[in-house]
Amino acid sequence: MKILYISTGITNSGGVAKVVSLKANYFVEQLNHEVHIISSNDTSEKTFFSFSPLIKFKFISKKHKIIKWLWFFIQIRSYIKKYKPHVIIVTDNGFKGLFIPFFISSKVKSIYEMHATNDNFIYLGSKRKDLFSNRSIAYFLSKYHKIVVLNSHLKFKFILNEKQVIIPNPVVIIEKETASNVDSIIFKKAIAVGRIFPEKGWDRLLRIWEKVIKLYPDYQLEIYGEIDDKYSLNPLIEELNLKKHVNVLNPVNNLEYQYATSDFLVHPSFYESFSMVILEAMSFGLPIVCFDLTTDLVNSDYCLIAKSEEEFAENCIKLIENNQVRIQMGTNAKKTSFEYECKVIMKKWEDLLHTI
């Protein structure tokens, strides 16, 4: 089967790029499908994550705003005409992703893969989400054959339920001996991962960590993420006197060692459609401290869920002080992560492709 992904920013270090790499690689290497990827808005043609050499790429160059949309759809139609894919999967949750079904033949099966939260999605016209905007989005998305959402909270209100399918993101499970994350070891370190921009809640995490180190000054916080040029954590780190306690580091495409040498994950994000970061941390047996993200992945068996910054700090301190709680929650996290293993999730995708 020929599968065409239409995405955006596939070369960056974001969660969507990571997920597409995992699934595309599995499609070609394990399921013997042919995969093509068209991506727009990339600043480079060098991918951050590893993609199989069997995958064929097409990068749509940036144009002036007036013609970039027209150029995008011309390129899309030309590529489809040339390679004749059987299925098109759209992971571009931007404005232009809504219009793709109007530029492809109805004979080609199309799937829209939702990676944004409904509250953070595009609303056309009115800001009143229950009126014009949601109905407009429903109209455009209904032109797709199927819509894949990552959790039950993301289903669209004005789209037929049978047209929507819940398929979570997959994770690669690292075996215990490879991960070397021994439960009894205390590393005196928490890890946080995500793009460095305001919506991820980094400011409040730094305020929280200031409270934590007042009791445990030997604990370190490591933040890994792609830095936004318009947003820096350094001024607040200096203001809160955290330079000795917080390290902001560039993203790495393989966080195995970083997860395996941390005690728990702190995730201060305001919203998530799913959160690959939480799932990856779970696969290494790390408990999670987060706010309520309204996603199926957040569960009290392995997450300490806070309603305020004060409670978040208390939850961090609870894991630092109580090793048995940390071990038990980490064990629960590891066990649950197997439900999201690549072979399990990709079986759902394979079933969808053959029944669409």
Side-chain angles (χ1 to χ4, degrees), residues 107-231:
K107 295 179 181 179
V108 181
K109 301 300 183 182
S110 59
I111 300 171
Y112 187 86
E113 189 177 330
M114 179 70 164
H115 283 275
T117 64
N118 290 347
D119 287 339
N120 192 39
F121 196 46
I122 303 163
Y123 295 101
L124 306 179
S126 171
K127 292 182 179 179
R128 298 180 64 183
K129 301 170 187 176
D130 291 332
L131 297 175
F132 175 76
S133 55
N134 272 5
R135 291 187 183 275
S136 298
I137 290 171
Y139 169 76
F140 287 102
L141 293 186
S142 67
K143 302 303 178 182
Y144 283 92
H145 290 90
K146 286 288 185 179
I147 299 164
V148 171
V149 296
L150 301 181
N151 73 77
S152 60
H153 302 279
L154 293 180
K155 283 194 170 183
F156 290 90
K157 184 176 180 180
F158 297 109
I159 298 177
L160 293 175
N161 190 58
E162 56 265 29
K163 201 160 194 172
Q164 304 182 69
V165 182
I166 301 172
I167 305 181
N169 287 332
V171 68
V172 176
I173 304 292
I174 306 298
E175 296 300 327
K176 193 70 174 180
E177 60 269 22
T178 304
S180 67
N181 187 14
V182 181
D183 291 334
S184 60
I185 296 177
I186 298 175
F187 297 99
K188 294 188 177 182
K189 185 182 75 176
I191 186 172
V193 183
R195 280 185 58 199
I196 310 297
F197 71 120
E199 287 81 354
K200 292 295 184 180
W202 299 118
D203 285 9
R204 61 181 181 176
L205 178 59
L206 293 178
R207 293 192 296 268
I208 288 164
W209 204 249
E210 182 192 27
K211 296 181 176 67
V212 172
I213 63 160
K214 284 181 179 178
L215 291 177
Y216 295 95
D218 54 345
Y219 249 81
Q220 293 291 309
L221 170 62
E222 288 187 354
I223 301 173
Y224 291 87
E226 188 174 327
I227 297 172
D228 188 325
D229 292 337
K230 299 178 182 178
Y231 176 68

Side-chain angles (χ1 to χ4, degrees), residues 242-279:
L242 292 174
K243 292 185 71 174
K244 294 181 179 179
H245 309 281
V246 176
N247 292 316
V248 182
L249 304 162
N250 290 325
V252 295
N253 61 11
N254 192 332
L255 282 165
E256 292 179 13
Y257 177 78
Q258 287 76 13
Y259 283 127
T261 56
S262 299
D263 296 326
F264 54 91
L265 175 83
V266 286
H267 196 69
S269 184
F270 287 95
Y271 52 81
E272 293 284 355
S273 60
F274 183 80
S275 183
M276 278 300 293
V277 170
I278 288 179
L279 180 56

Side-chain angles (χ1 to χ4, degrees), residues 65-82:
K65 288 184 178 181
I66 297 176
I67 63 171
K68 70 176 183 179
W69 275 26
L70 178 60
W71 178 248
F72 173 80
F73 289 115
I74 289 174
Q75 292 288 294
I76 292 291
R77 293 195 67 172
S78 174
Y79 200 90
I80 292 171
K81 184 178 180 181
K82 181 177 180 181

Side-chain angles (χ1 to χ4, degrees), residues 322-338:
N322 195 323
N323 197 39
Q324 287 304 310
V325 171
R326 181 182 67 83
I327 291 173
Q328 184 57 58
M329 294 186 74
T331 301
N332 295 342
K334 179 75 173 184
K335 181 179 178 181
T336 304
S337 71
F338 283 97

